[in-house]
Amino acid sequence: MTSESNEFAPKGSPFEPVGADGVVRLSAFSTPIATLAGDRMAGNIRAMAQWCGDRGLLLSPHGKTTMAPSIWEQQLAAGAWAITVANPAQLRVARRAGIRRVIVANEFVDPTALRWVYAQHAADPDWRVICWVDSVAGVEAMAAQHDGTAPPIDVCIEVGALDARGGVRSEDEARRVAEAVAATPAVRLVGVAGYEGVVTHGADAAGLAEVSGYLRRLVSIHRRLADLYETDEVLISAGGSAYFDLVAAELGPEAGTQAGSSTLVVLRPGVYVTYDDGIYTQIAPQARGAGPQLVAAMHVWGRVLSRPQPDLALLDVGRRDISADEGMPVPQRVNRNGTWRPDTALNGAAVIDLNDQHTYLRLAPNSPIEVGDVVRLGLSHPCTTFDKWSTIPVIDDPDIPDPRVTEFIETYF
């Protein structure tokens, strides 16, 4: 087992060689270090696949979460229908990784990238790309790069919300865009799509009602466009990692075959693969007794550099190493020389700020934490931790003080 090696060892590579027992352990790495718990991650992948399958839903995990083809392969092997990405660069990674069906959950108007996709389609007509459109101008931008011979790119009408991201704002607008799609051979209308996370970040009754209302509007537009679809296998797609239970409830009844046409309901969550210890424990389905039971599978480990005052410790983890866009990291356990300290060592502890390379850990003044101790940090919104690491060791068990490293995951952001 080796990580990708070169003259300049990538962040996330061990500093020390394999031990005498032939095993690499986490203690061979300097801090800070991000880790993935392999068994937990595999369990999450299986749980989500099973949950979708039991409800007749298809799963297209959002690959931008990890940008790790080896994780995508695990998701596809567990039954995922496709992999989702967000932009042309990510699509190219998916193409190189051999992903045969890719959703680009975004508008796609870049001329250079469009010419590349059409050329790839011409050379490999069975490679399928599905992207969003939300305007006649977007349709025209795609058509302008079509040479008249390549197969069309499949598109879904994106449905948006007021003051949110892209997407049509009305049924009439959706109809106009769909008619523009039907008028050109450059694109083919295959469905409707949206992202319910744009309407709220709340999980109270009012927030959940907003999400459900948005999803019902998505269904309404889907039905309004029925006569314009250019396929017998229509897609209706939504579902991030926070409200996919509501997506299943509102969109699920549309799945099936009617009048010779099949409707596929496709969910696109990403964070489920590692879950987290922060925001998703508050807003994801299992927080309200729904959805599969997921377990946090990603952590960052940092060392105490300084205890400059009784109620403060500085760790060697910063914004270049760990996410902080949807909540601060969560201090969980303390390791001293290969042994866990009592859980009481972190009583009342909280991360209060991050600099580029430092974490400010507020402590009880009598905390026994010392310079040199290693603190395991749980994450909030791990998507923006993955992109800080090109190499991530996979460990067998994060609850072991010095876990065994079983493999390395490479990311391609």
Side-chain angles (χ1 to χ4, degrees):
M1 178 192 65
T2 60
S3 68
E4 186 174 310
S5 61
N6 51 49
E7 184 177 355
F8 301 99
K11 180 181 174 181
S13 299
F15 266 60
E16 295 181 348
V18 174
D21 58 359
V23 173
V24 176
R25 295 194 175 274
L26 194 60
S27 55
F29 296 74
S30 68
T31 54
I33 186 69
T35 61
L36 292 164
D39 288 347
R40 293 186 181 189
M41 188 167 62
N44 290 344
I45 290 171
R46 289 192 301 269
M48 180 60 79
Q50 182 70 51
W51 190 88
C52 288
D54 288 347
R55 289 156 180 79
L57 310 174
L58 297 179
L59 179 61
S60 181
H62 215 319
K64 74 175 176 65
T65 296
T66 66
M67 286 306 296
S70 61
I71 294 178
W72 299 348
E73 290 170 4
Q74 294 180 50
Q75 293 169 310
L76 290 166
W81 181 76
I83 293 296
T84 300
V85 297
N87 60 36
Q90 294 172 6
L91 176 61
R92 188 163 63 172
V93 173
R95 177 62 167 158
R96 287 191 172 184
I99 308 301
R100 300 300 299 166
R101 187 186 289 119
V102 188
I103 293 176
V104 182
N106 213 340
E107 280 64 40
F108 202 135
V109 298
D110 182 280
T112 303
L114 282 167
R115 289 193 296 271
W116 175 80
V117 171
Y118 282 124
Q120 294 293 310
H121 265 180
D124 184 3
D126 292 332
W127 182 52
R128 190 175 185 193
V129 174
I130 306 161
C131 69
W132 304 167
V133 291
D134 71 351
S135 67
V136 173
V139 175
E140 292 172 345
M142 298 182 76
Q145 305 307 320
H146 187 243
D147 66 2
T149 63
I153 296 174
D154 289 343
V155 297
C156 292
I157 304 298
E158 184 181 16
V159 178
L162 186 64
D163 294 330
R165 277 189 338 206
V168 297
R169 276 14 184 194
S170 70
E171 291 192 12
D172 288 344
E173 187 180 0
R175 184 83 188 179
R176 284 193 295 273
V177 177
E179 289 171 346
V181 172
T184 174
V187 290
R188 183 177 72 138
L189 185 62
V190 300
V192 298
Y195 173 51
E196 70 287 351
V198 299
V199 302
T200 184
H201 277 156
D204 57 5
L208 299 181
E210 282 189 84
V211 171
S212 293
Y214 167 81
L215 294 168
R216 286 192 289 271
R217 191 160 67 89
L218 185 63
V219 170
S220 178
I221 290 175
H222 159 64
R223 294 172 179 171
R224 175 94 182 267
L225 301 182
D227 63 310
L228 291 172
Y229 290 135
E230 301 175 87
T231 177
D232 292 331
E233 192 174 74
V234 175
L235 274 60
I236 179 168
S237 178
S241 295
Y243 308 107
F244 57 81
D245 55 330
L246 302 183
V247 174
E250 300 293 346
L251 273 54
E254 299 299 306
T257 302
Q258 295 180 3
S261 178
S262 297
T263 298
L264 309 179
V265 177
V266 182
L267 272 62
R268 309 187 313 273
V271 170
Y272 80 89
V273 69
T274 61
Y275 196 51
D276 79 355
D277 289 299
I279 187 172
Y280 285 96
T281 65
Q282 303 165 32
I283 65 173
Q286 73 186 62
R288 47 187 175 271
Q293 294 302 297
L294 307 172
V295 182
M298 191 175 195
H299 303 87
V300 174
W301 309 65
R303 195 175 303 274
V304 178
L305 297 175
S306 176
R307 186 91 185 262
Q309 58 197 59
D311 63 348
L312 183 67
L314 277 299
L315 312 184
D316 60 358
V317 179
R319 293 182 185 274
R320 293 178 180 266
D321 313 300
I322 197 167
S323 50
D325 56 316
E326 293 284 0
M328 289 293 174
V330 181
Q332 295 178 322
R333 304 196 73 171
V334 179
N335 184 326
R336 181 178 299 164
N337 299 323
T339 302
W340 291 126
R341 303 298 297 158
D343 290 344
T344 54
L346 288 172
N347 280 357
V351 173
I352 58 171
D353 199 6
L354 295 174
N355 293 155
D356 277 3
Q357 310 288 179
H358 293 87
T359 290
Y360 292 71
L361 181 62
R362 181 70 73 203
L363 298 170
N366 62 348
S367 171
I369 288 177
E370 298 177 357
V371 170
D373 288 350
V374 173
V375 179
R376 190 186 80 191
L377 297 168
L379 309 181
S380 184
H381 193 223
C383 301
T384 49
T385 295
F386 270 101
D387 63 5
K388 296 169 173 56
W389 298 86
S390 61
T391 301
I392 306 175
V394 178
I395 59 176
D396 56 354
D397 186 351
D399 287 328
I400 295 173
D402 194 14
R404 184 169 60 94
V405 176
T406 59
E407 62 178 308
F408 292 87
I409 296 292
E410 307 292 342
T411 69
Y412 298 89
F413 284 93

